[in-house]
Amino acid sequence: MTVREAICEGLDEEMERDEAVYIIGEEVAQYQGAYKVTKGLYQKYGEKRVIDTPITEAGFTGLAVGSAFHDLRPVVEFMTINFSMQAIDHIVNSAAKQFYMSGGELACPIVFRGPNGYSAGTAAQHSQCFAAWFGAIPGLKVVAPYSSEDAKGLIKAAIRDPNPVMVLEHELMYGVSFPMSDEAQSKDWVVEIGKAKIEREGSDVTIITFSKEVGKALEAAEIMAAKGVSCEVVNLLSIRPIDREAIFKSVKKTGRCVTLEQGFPQHGVGAEIAAMIMESDTFNYLDAPMERVCGADIPTPYATELEIAVFPHVDDVIAAIERTTFRTIAA
Amino acid sequence: MIRLREMDTIFQNSQRQGRFSFYMTCRGEEAIPFGAATALESQDVVLAQYREQGVLMWRGFSLQQFSDQCYSNESDLGKGRQMPVHYGSRALNYQTISSCLGTQIPQAVGVAYSLKLSAANATDDGRETKKAVSLCFFGEGCSSTNDFHSGLNLSATLKCPVIFFCRNNGYAISTSVKEQYAGDGVISRAPGYGMAAIRVDGNDVFAVHAAVREARIYALENNAPILIEAMSYRCGHHSTSDDSFRYRSVEEVQHFANESDPLIRLQNFLKHHKYDNMTDDDFRIMVEDEKKAILYAMRKAERKPKPSLEDLFTDVYNEMPPSLKAQQNQLNEHIAKYPDSY
Ligand SMILES: Cc1ncc(C[n+]2csc(CCOP(=O)(O)OP(=O)(O)O)c2C)c(N)n1
Ligand SMILES: [Mg+2]
């Protein structure tokens, strides 16, 4: 099942389960979404529950937040997360904070979703990762699936969650197929928000990553295995809350840590993980300085050659692993 | 207009052949950029949405420059940083296209505010500054953005010489005007903001020209904004990522192409008035000549080297901060170490 189909199945099941769930965004109904994620839902649930809007991210996000304050459970699709910037005030200053500011009176059970991270040949305004941005906001939950199981389980968990949840999908993953376990095919399948997943067990170094980059980490782990280095790959799944226990446990076990993300390095997810490790006793278990693999610290260029130069590649991950494990290999 | 139609067609086909990742034509709307550009002065600043490449063409952006941008080679003025069609030229007073819809609308008000101030200053110290307006293009879909509403209101309250030019082409990707607004088009918003407005046949190049000419005079004489809504039809797909027959019929497109194609209308007009005694053959030769020139520019663009990695870190800031200098040095050392890979 492709990631696209898995998200759609999750949406479908939750709409069936709860009348209050509805989808809103540009071209989500008749066109079935810019990336065809909402395929078939308009046909099944009609125009009351799958709503096409005029082009106004600020407008329809504000509307959806209001409806969430008033007992509905909207799923807001952004054509790309980049366009959520036009609605940022509603997300950060209303959805994320009103529950707190109202003394717990105004809950906001809303889901924001859309493709995040880099895509191919779409340049600075369409191609960047917002995980660190949204991950910095108290009151908001932020998740990022990698596989089809993750995608279905997380969208369902997000919809059922009484808090606002930002689901960061990835354009280049929509068409990728993954096997679905029997449990994941069930209508009760949810992935707990806040828990990371060990994608591959290992003993020499921990690679912590999320979204599409999990694939690169697994590739790098495979290549390193052939060189005699055993990598543990942690798929974060949840950026906020972030699974500190899983991170600490794995890094304590391996004594080495590499983070991998598409976003910019400064104040990134990797930076947060570094701080977390420094501030805990996990620091004492490190046998080498931690390494971060990130996007370059510049707006994303368009030309293919430049684009290749700014995003992380498997080779970069391998180079970072080799730097942190150097002493092991040399010994 | 023939040059633009041919360029669009050839570029669209090149995209299909995989030569670059993305393209947008303005098929069916060619009268708009040319009607508008011919009514402006060169000092007038244009902030476009993305389907108005004809304005640049009229102002002298060469076929080579268009090709270099789409091929994203070392001659691209944008140094390979923007998607195809996101043209820009400071020399031609055409602000670089931004992908985020609506942002150009309040920005055009800011440009007009600055133009108004410099015109006022000029009279004080005797320097001669030509009076100028800003002209802001946007689609009818874009008129739903918050930026549209705040931009229009600000321009009216700040009394800025800006021409808001709405290309109403019936669609915003798959969203038709029926779902975009419930009132009478975009023009009906103007009175609410205390603004003058003109609705015009967007497929009649002379009508568009006259509307923009009058709007320019009005904006400068009154230091006031004005809204133009040009009614047209998007004959092409939204972009190369779109297949519009999923949401509209071939017959519908054919109807507009047959009944109101701005090129055919202009040709009929010229023939009817025996302009230069032009015949169908003359038009055909023009088309062939344009095609040749475009293909030549494209082939040249394709052969040019790609943008250099040297430029990866420049222009992030005016001066390169130490952190970026360090990254650039690292990159250079890396390339020096593995010269064969680059
Ligand atoms: C803020 C924002 N939301 C959505 C998009 C995606 N998008 C690009 S073009 C477009 C349609 C615009 O339609 P319109 O303004 O009518 O211009 P036209 O394409 O018809 O020329 C949309 C929705 C975007 N670029 N920016
Ligand atoms: Mg339109």
Side-chain angles (χ1 to χ4, degrees):
Chain A
M1 177 181 272
T2 63
V3 171
R4 172 187 287 114
E5 289 160 351
I7 301 168
C8 187
E9 188 170 288
L11 290 167
D12 187 7
E13 288 174 10
E14 292 309 298
M15 289 182 80
E16 207 169 80
R17 181 175 172 272
D18 184 351
E19 284 269 310
V21 178
Y22 75 98
I23 294 174
I24 186 165
E26 288 159 20
E27 324 221 329
V28 293
Q30 299 187 42
Y31 200 60
Q32 319 194 316
Y35 296 101
K36 303 284 174 279
V37 171
T38 51
K39 191 167 180 191
L41 299 179
Y42 170 73
Q43 285 72 11
K44 184 161 172 192
Y45 296 101
E47 60 185 17
K48 272 206 179 127
R49 296 185 64 197
V50 187
I51 305 172
D52 276 332
T53 69
I55 305 172
T56 168
E57 281 76 10
F60 65 72
T61 307
L63 179 158
V65 168
S67 74
F69 288 149
H70 215 272
D71 306 330
L72 291 182
R73 288 182 169 261
V75 178
V76 177
E77 171 174 309
F78 295 110
M79 279 188 166
T80 93
I81 292 294
N82 292 273
F83 304 149
S84 76
M85 293 294 107
Q86 300 210 354
I88 196 81
D89 186 57
H90 291 293
I91 301 169
V92 171
N93 276 325
S94 294
K97 296 178 185 166
Q98 268 293 24
F99 187 62
Y100 184 77
M101 295 186 301
S102 66
E105 299 226 316
L106 275 179
C108 193
I110 192 171
V111 174
F112 308 104
R113 51 159 292 271
N116 171 65
Y118 65 71
S119 60
T122 59
Q125 295 173 323
H126 287 100
S127 197
Q128 57 190 323
C129 175
F130 288 98
W133 271 63
F134 290 115
I137 309 301
L140 200 59
K141 293 190 180 180
V142 185
V143 298
Y146 163 63
S147 67
S148 303
E149 287 192 358
D150 299 348
K152 180 178 168 189
L154 283 174
I155 190 74
K156 285 166 68 79
I159 293 173
R160 293 183 192 186
D161 201 290
N163 300 286
V165 184
M166 173 64 74
V167 184
L168 302 173
E169 298 161 5
H170 202 289
E171 181 190 336
L172 302 180
M173 295 303 290
Y174 283 142
V176 179
S177 278
F178 290 88
M180 291 282 274
S181 64
D182 287 344
E183 299 139 275
Q185 286 177 38
S186 125
K187 292 193 175 178
D188 300 323
W189 172 253
V190 286
V191 169
E192 188 184 340
I193 295 178
K195 286 272 176 289
K197 176 162 117 196
I198 307 298
E199 290 281 349
R200 178 187 172 119
E201 300 217 11
S203 53
D204 295 332
V205 54
T206 299
I207 313 173
I208 304 175
T209 185
F210 58 96
S211 186
K212 184 175 191 302
E213 302 314 78
V214 172
K216 283 187 195 145
L218 290 171
E219 254 184 78
E222 197 60 41
I223 294 168
M224 290 311 290
K227 296 186 184 182
V229 176
S230 160
C231 302
E232 177 143 306
V233 177
V234 178
N235 173 1
L236 282 175
L237 290 174
S238 179
I239 307 298
R240 176 185 267 271
I242 194 164
D243 191 347
R244 298 166 66 95
E245 295 318 309
I247 292 171
F248 293 161
K249 196 168 152 215
S250 176
V251 176
K252 280 180 179 173
K253 180 172 85 175
T254 63
R256 292 177 165 79
C257 178
V258 172
T259 61
L260 165 60
E261 67 188 301
Q262 300 185 343
F264 307 118
Q266 189 167 343
H267 308 302
V269 175
E272 176 60 26
I273 292 171
M276 214 182 277
I277 292 175
M278 291 279 276
E279 290 166 354
S280 76
D281 68 333
T282 310
F283 179 70
N284 304 328
Y285 291 74
L286 280 186
D287 291 328
M290 189 188 130
E291 289 271 343
R292 286 189 288 156
V293 181
C294 307
D297 197 15
I298 58 171
T300 309
Y302 167 78
T304 316
E305 293 71 18
L306 303 182
E307 196 183 49
I308 290 173
V310 306
F311 289 128
H313 300 280
V314 174
D315 283 348
D316 302 316
V317 185
I318 290 175
I321 296 171
E322 286 183 337
R323 284 194 298 273
T324 56
T325 55
F326 180 65
R327 273 169 286 181
T328 324
I329 294 171
Chain B
M1 279 164 74
I2 289 176
R3 177 175 301 166
L4 179 56
R5 172 77 53 97
E6 295 308 318
M7 181 179 89
D8 273 351
T9 309
I10 291 174
F11 280 8
Q12 168 156 302
N13 291 339
S14 313
Q15 192 280 338
R16 296 246 160 84
Q17 293 160 3
R19 288 159 200 256
F20 39 86
S21 72
F22 179 81
Y23 193 70
M24 297 176 113
T25 77
C26 63
R27 197 177 185 86
E29 297 175 56
E30 290 91 343
I32 289 175
F34 286 103
T38 50
L40 294 175
E41 299 292 336
S42 59
Q43 69 270 22
D44 294 331
V45 180
V46 173
L47 294 93
Q49 180 158 317
Y50 45 59
R51 225 182 277 288
E52 300 89 357
Q53 49 267 49
V55 172
L56 263 181
M57 193 174 258
W58 176 260
R59 289 190 166 187
F61 208 68
S62 66
L63 290 174
Q64 195 59 55
Q65 286 176 304
F66 282 113
S67 307
D68 289 341
Q69 201 278 340
C70 286
Y71 275 91
S72 204
N73 62 32
E74 67 167 16
S75 309
D76 166 26
L77 293 182
K79 304 182 188 166
R81 291 168 184 164
Q82 254 295 22
M83 293 173 73
V85 191
H86 291 58
Y87 309 110
S89 165
R90 182 138 209 145
L92 299 178
N93 276 326
Y94 190 91
Q95 183 168 304
T96 305
I97 304 297
S98 166
S99 308
C100 315
L101 287 178
T103 50
Q104 78 275 25
I105 301 173
Q107 288 171 14
V109 182
V111 170
Y113 187 69
S114 158
L115 292 170
K116 178 172 110 168
L117 290 189
S118 58
N121 292 342
T123 30
D124 287 349
D125 66 9
R127 269 187 302 125
E128 209 190 322
T129 303
K130 288 183 186 157
K131 281 197 161 188
V133 298
S134 69
L135 184 140
C136 175
F137 284 108
F138 52 95
E140 86 296 335
C142 190
S143 75
S144 297
T145 61
N146 285 29
D147 277 346
F148 168 84
H149 300 282
S150 40
L152 262 66
N153 191 42
L154 280 168
S155 71
T157 53
L158 284 173
K159 304 199 186 333
C160 294
V162 48
I163 302 172
F164 297 107
F165 193 114
C166 177
R167 290 181 292 101
N168 191 334
N169 62 6
Y171 285 91
I173 314 186
S174 79
T175 307
S176 75
V177 288
K178 286 196 202 81
E179 302 155 281
Q180 195 66 247
Y181 47 71
D184 177 12
V186 175
I187 193 171
S188 59
R189 327 274 171 88
Y193 292 115
M195 188 182 297
I198 309 172
R199 181 177 266 160
V200 65
D201 177 350
N203 288 0
D204 177 344
V205 68
F206 300 115
V208 174
H209 175 91
V212 175
R213 188 187 59 215
E214 293 307 312
R216 187 175 189 278
I217 293 170
Y218 173 88
L220 286 178
E221 276 182 358
N222 300 286
N223 258 334
I226 179 165
L227 173 66
I228 296 174
E229 181 178 20
M231 309 310 285
S232 184
Y233 184 79
R234 196 193 79 208
C235 281
H237 302 302
H238 169 68
S239 72
T240 48
S241 316
D242 174 45
D243 171 10
S244 63
F245 297 128
R246 296 173 61 112
Y247 51 84
R248 62 180 185 180
S249 66
V250 181
E251 293 73 44
E252 180 188 310
V253 179
Q254 212 51 54
H255 168 78
F256 282 96
N258 294 341
E259 297 302 315
S260 68
D261 184 310
L263 252 83
I264 297 177
R265 282 174 62 179
L266 180 56
Q267 286 181 12
N268 287 344
F269 179 89
L270 294 177
K271 280 190 280 190
H272 180 78
H273 291 281
K274 302 212 165 32
Y275 177 79
D276 246 5
N277 283 322
M278 282 182 88
T279 64
D280 286 341
D281 266 346
D282 292 324
F283 287 118
R284 218 167 293 134
I285 291 167
M286 274 170 77
V287 169
E288 288 313 314
D289 286 350
E290 292 301 338
K291 270 191 195 155
K292 268 187 223 139
I294 295 155
L295 288 171
Y296 175 78
M298 250 179 52
R299 274 196 288 268
K300 217 165 134 187
E302 203 166 9
R303 282 198 303 268
K304 288 189 189 179
K306 293 296 167 186
S308 100
L309 286 176
E310 284 292 302
D311 269 336
L312 208 50
F313 299 98
T314 58
D315 307 324
V316 181
Y317 298 97
N318 271 286
E319 310 85 21
M320 201 186 290
S323 62
L324 285 185
K325 274 195 193 130
Q327 285 187 44
Q328 190 170 40
N329 289 340
Q330 269 181 353
L331 177 70
N332 291 342
E333 281 164 24
H334 175 80
I335 293 173
K337 199 164 158 195
Y338 305 101
D340 299 341
S341 307
Y342 294 90

